[in-house]
Amino acid sequence: IKNIGLEGGSVIGNSRTGSLIGRMNANSIDNCYSTCDVTASGAYIGGLAGVAYADINNCYATGDVTGNECVGGLVGYTECNITTSYATSNVKCYTSRAGGLAGYANHNITHCYATGNVEGNDSVGGLVGQFQREDGKADINSCYFTGDVTGIIRVGSLLGNVQNSYKNITFGTINVINCYSLDKGTDVIGACSIGPDKTEHTYGKDSILAGIT
């Protein structure tokens, strides 16, 4: 999908809801945008796409996004790369995994930003609510967040909840490079579960992030 824009109005749905794409399983989303508000009662809700198993390049969303679980300003759930994209959406999630850019992500995020306010309960991040890399390596590079984050547990001004394993069988490497947040009232990473013991760590308000392994 490429070179498509949706302006104004609103989209109302249940699960896997986005203004332009509900779910996409292949190829890429290039040079697309939406200014549409999205409201849904279920999970996997995004300002542009609900679920994207496709790279997202040069895209943006500006409409407000509300959902029950896994809610993102640009995309609710993605297992592919996001590059040179942004969201100015205000994000509201009634349960877990809320992010200004993505509710859940596990691949590279490069030259992206989010500027809206993000509200949720668990795993709430200015950029990504939950970031989980189970094998290989993923970089979050040259990204930033300028809004406010509100939540109860695992709340981070950049990343809410970071994990690098799958059932303690495979382990990945996550690098956070040249990223920042203007929300100084919240830890940069709300919770970071690394290694077999799954011990949770936080990264403070003024942390310089480089290499979470």
Side-chain angles (χ1 to χ4, degrees):
I1 295 178
K2 63 181 179 180
N3 303 326
I4 297 176
L6 180 63
E7 297 187 357
S10 61
V11 171
I12 299 174
N14 187 356
S15 294
R16 299 175 182 86
T17 302
S19 63
L20 193 62
I21 299 162
R23 174 171 174 157
M24 185 168 175
N25 291 340
N27 300 316
S28 62
I29 305 167
D30 302 310
N31 304 315
C32 294
Y33 72 90
S34 172
T35 65
C36 182
D37 294 337
V38 178
T39 303
S41 59
Y44 312 116
I45 315 302
L48 189 72
V51 177
Y53 295 100
D55 288 344
I56 300 173
N57 305 304
N58 300 312
C59 294
Y60 70 87
T62 63
D64 292 342
V65 186
T66 302
N68 188 57
E69 182 183 358
C70 206
V71 183
L74 186 71
V75 57
Y77 182 102
T78 181
E79 293 191 1
C80 292
N81 301 316
I82 308 175
T83 306
T84 321
S85 298
Y86 68 90
T88 62
S89 314
N90 292 315
V91 174
K92 186 171 184 178
C93 175
Y94 293 109
T95 59
S96 64
R97 297 189 289 179
L101 190 75
Y104 174 96
N106 68 1
H107 274 61
N108 297 326
I109 301 176
T110 309
H111 295 294
C112 294
Y113 66 88
T115 63
N117 297 325
V118 183
E119 179 183 351
N121 289 337
D122 182 3
S123 301
V124 185
L127 198 68
V128 181
Q130 181 179 358
F131 194 94
Q132 183 169 349
R133 185 66 183 180
E134 298 160 356
D135 53 52
K137 186 185 79 167
D139 292 340
I140 303 173
N141 196 340
S142 303
C143 298
Y144 66 88
F145 172 69
T146 62
D148 294 323
V149 181
T150 305
I152 299 173
I153 58 173
R154 302 182 183 92
V155 181
S157 61
L158 275 177
L159 307 173
N161 186 13
V162 175
Q163 298 180 353
N164 80 326
S165 69
Y166 174 71
K167 296 182 178 179
N168 295 336
I169 298 171
T170 59
F171 297 90
T173 299
I174 301 166
N175 296 310
V176 183
I177 308 162
N178 299 324
C179 296
Y180 70 89
S181 169
L182 296 185
D183 183 352
K184 299 301 183 182
T186 307
D187 290 334
V188 174
I189 297 178
C192 188
S193 302
I194 300 300
D197 61 353
K198 286 289 190 180
T199 301
E200 289 193 354
H201 308 276
T202 60
Y203 286 73
K205 301 173 181 62
D206 297 314
S207 292
I208 298 173
L209 305 180
I212 301 171
T213 58

